[in-house]
Amino acid sequence: MNGTLITVAPTGAESAKADVPALPCTIDELVSTAKSCQAAGAAVIHVHVRDDDAQPTLDIGRVSAAVEAVREATDLVVQVSSGGAVTDSYDARIGVLDSNPDGASLTCGTVNFGADVFMNPLDLIERLYLAMREREIVPEFELFDLGHVTTMRRLLDKHGAPYGGHVHCDLVMGVPGGMPGTVPALTAAVQALPDGATWSATGVGRTTVPVMLAALAAGGHLRVGMEDTLTFAPGRAVRDNAELVERAATLADLALRPPLTPDEAREMLGIKDRRRLTQKATETGAR
Ligand SMILES: [Zn+2]
């Protein structure tokens, strides 16, 4: 497909609502963000859920409600984070897969997040991978470093293809502790990916725009959002997530690779369409 897949990551687990009032934290805020981002060109939403105090949570009831609400209100592919926050237990991170998402992120190695450590030992990666396949969830391999590409390849060699049969990765660049958001780093990571894989790139903080331009030029896809960037330009805070998606969509159009629709994204990624299944279950239940 010649178009550009745009994923929005609107919330994350790192920023505080008190510091960033525009961060979508309630389910209503998440749904209205999802709608405006779909209208602006997003096809996939990467979801982190917050509790009543706007703190990150993996509470399964809350996450399931968020997945269902976004699916009800939009056509977006709904991807949950299996990374959670750096303080979450491994069992809770696996448990989040019971929220019936279309996809889930799967981070392929441990990373220093400033002073924190985002732990991803190999046995957890394998457990998450197999749990996703069992539930017909499509993984997005999150790669913060070149070594994570190696781990992903070893995982695929040992366990075979993911649900849907297609490998899609996200290069997360510019995190202090991960690979830098530079063209040489992007090129090295892309060259190491398996044949037939597709990839998005995310530049955190000030690497957002250069990584976006490099990814478009190299035939990649884009992930943007307030999980990764809170500054639109030097000295100017991001207004909302839709503005970041609009900028990505404008650049994709300029690159003559316009944004993919959610249905085109489903086809490319091998996503099971749960919208019809949900509707069918509701109809059957009504009878
Ligand atoms: Zn995330």
Side-chain angles (χ1 to χ4, degrees):
M1 267 182 221
N2 192 40
T4 302
L5 173 71
I6 300 178
T7 298
V8 64
T11 310
E14 305 296 318
S15 298
K17 178 79 171 170
D19 300 335
V20 189
L23 201 68
C25 290
T26 67
I27 290 184
D28 284 353
E29 287 169 347
L30 180 67
V31 166
S32 74
T33 296
K35 285 182 181 168
S36 59
C37 289
Q38 183 180 326
V44 176
I45 186 165
H46 169 81
V47 174
H48 286 256
V49 174
R50 301 292 180 103
D51 66 15
D52 288 337
D53 300 321
Q55 297 301 311
T57 179
L58 293 179
D59 176 79
I60 191 64
R62 187 95 174 185
V63 178
S64 302
V67 168
E68 193 52 43
V70 172
R71 185 173 291 141
E72 189 81 8
T74 70
D75 289 315
L76 294 172
V77 173
V78 185
Q79 176 193 89
V80 295
S81 167
S82 73
V86 292
T87 48
D88 285 314
S89 75
Y90 298 162
D91 285 342
R93 288 173 53 187
I94 295 167
V96 83
L97 301 176
D98 289 329
S99 61
N100 194 31
D102 302 315
S105 58
L106 176 58
T107 303
C108 291
T110 296
V111 202
N112 288 339
F113 272 11
D116 293 322
V117 182
F118 178 28
M119 288 294 291
N120 293 287
L122 186 58
D123 66 324
L124 172 66
I125 296 170
E126 294 192 74
R127 284 173 69 198
L128 280 165
Y129 184 67
L130 297 174
M132 286 180 200
R133 197 159 60 190
E134 235 173 64
R135 291 162 180 73
E136 303 185 333
I137 295 168
V138 173
E140 177 171 292
F141 299 93
E142 271 193 357
L143 310 171
F144 288 74
D145 233 325
L146 202 49
H148 296 191
V149 182
T150 309
T151 298
M152 176 187 75
R153 297 190 69 131
R154 291 179 63 167
L155 185 73
L156 293 169
D157 284 347
K158 182 171 171 189
H159 293 292
Y163 175 76
H166 179 71
V167 173
H168 182 77
C169 315
D170 183 42
L171 309 175
V172 188
M173 313 187 72
V175 172
M179 65 180 144
T182 61
V183 172
L186 183 131
T187 306
V190 170
Q191 280 176 343
L193 296 179
D195 289 343
T198 52
W199 57 278
S200 304
T202 309
V204 170
R206 67 189 63 175
T207 69
T208 297
V209 174
V211 165
M212 198 156 39
L213 293 169
L216 282 170
H221 301 274
L222 307 176
R223 175 177 126 168
V224 296
M226 294 177 72
E227 171 166 350
D228 307 318
T229 319
L230 295 169
T231 306
F232 192 81
R236 210 281 252 165
V238 169
R239 184 193 71 216
D240 57 20
N241 281 285
E243 149 175 274
L244 294 170
V245 175
E246 268 162 32
R247 178 167 67 180
T250 301
L251 293 176
D253 281 330
L254 280 171
L256 304 180
R257 293 182 46 216
L260 294 180
T261 65
D263 282 335
E264 289 168 336
R266 279 186 175 80
E267 197 188 326
M268 183 180 96
L269 300 171
I271 301 274
K272 171 173 165 176
D273 194 343
R274 287 170 172 80
R275 292 168 303 178
R276 287 167 209 143
L277 293 173
T278 308
Q279 206 181 357
K280 219 172 165 186
T282 313
E283 282 164 11
T284 313
R287 261 183 231 126

